[in-house]
Amino acid sequence: MFTSILVPFDGSQGAEAALAKAAELAQLCGAGVTLLTVYRHHSLLEASMHMVRPDQPEDLDEIMRSHAKQVAERGKALAAAGGVQSPRAFVKAGPVARTITGFAREHGHDLIVIGSRGLGSLEGVLLGSVSHKVTSLAETPVLVV
């Protein structure tokens, strides 16, 4: 049925539910599970704050990347605890829905299992949810949990 399942994971309850469902499917099908945590590049407003507050020289992208890695590792541990054999986790930067669908295409995933609600933002309310965008952009089946 399915051989390679991609689970976008942002650490939300919706993502955890999607991961649990993906773990069940993986066990039924003998499929591999890959988690993908996507973070967005910081805004120009945030970049301008670096010029205003030079005493806080942290690289915002590096902070977000580091947090995304922690989220991905937590998801990987949850997947292993849920019975997934050798789950893999990746972190990418970019527009969330397009990054998810591009990753699925590039790596040959034949199913995306995504939570219906993530950590989202006001942008998600105004422009539509990530899960909705993924279902419209994906070339593979998408299971929304």
Side-chain angles (χ1 to χ4, degrees):
M1 185 187 268
F2 299 111
T3 60
S4 182
I5 301 171
L6 177 64
V7 182
F9 190 80
D10 64 3
S12 66
Q13 288 180 337
E16 288 184 15
L19 181 56
K21 186 56 68 180
E24 287 178 39
L25 286 169
Q27 290 174 354
L28 288 172
C29 303
V33 173
T34 301
L35 290 90
L36 177 63
T37 300
V38 180
Y39 68 96
R40 294 187 61 145
H41 178 75
H42 67 81
S43 70
L44 291 176
L45 172 65
E46 291 169 316
S48 68
M49 294 304 285
H50 281 270
M51 294 187 285
V52 177
R53 290 190 241 162
D55 59 324
Q56 296 176 341
E58 299 95 7
D59 179 359
L60 293 177
D61 278 334
E62 184 54 42
I63 291 168
M64 293 188 319
R65 183 180 306 109
S66 176
H67 176 70
K69 285 180 182 178
Q70 291 173 3
V71 170
E73 286 302 315
R74 183 171 153 268
K76 189 175 172 181
L78 287 172
V84 174
Q85 298 295 314
S86 304
R88 299 181 316 154
F90 294 88
V91 171
K92 291 273 197 188
V96 181
R98 291 195 182 280
T99 302
I100 291 167
T101 55
F103 188 91
R105 185 175 46 256
E106 290 167 19
H107 295 272
H109 296 289
D110 52 12
L111 177 66
I112 300 171
V113 181
I114 189 169
S116 61
R117 293 264 182 218
L119 293 177
S121 63
L122 181 60
E123 177 188 16
V125 173
L126 297 175
L127 300 176
S129 69
V130 170
S131 58
H132 177 76
K133 289 177 186 174
V134 168
T135 59
S136 63
L137 293 171
E139 297 173 3
T140 61
V142 178
L143 173 60
V144 180
V145 178

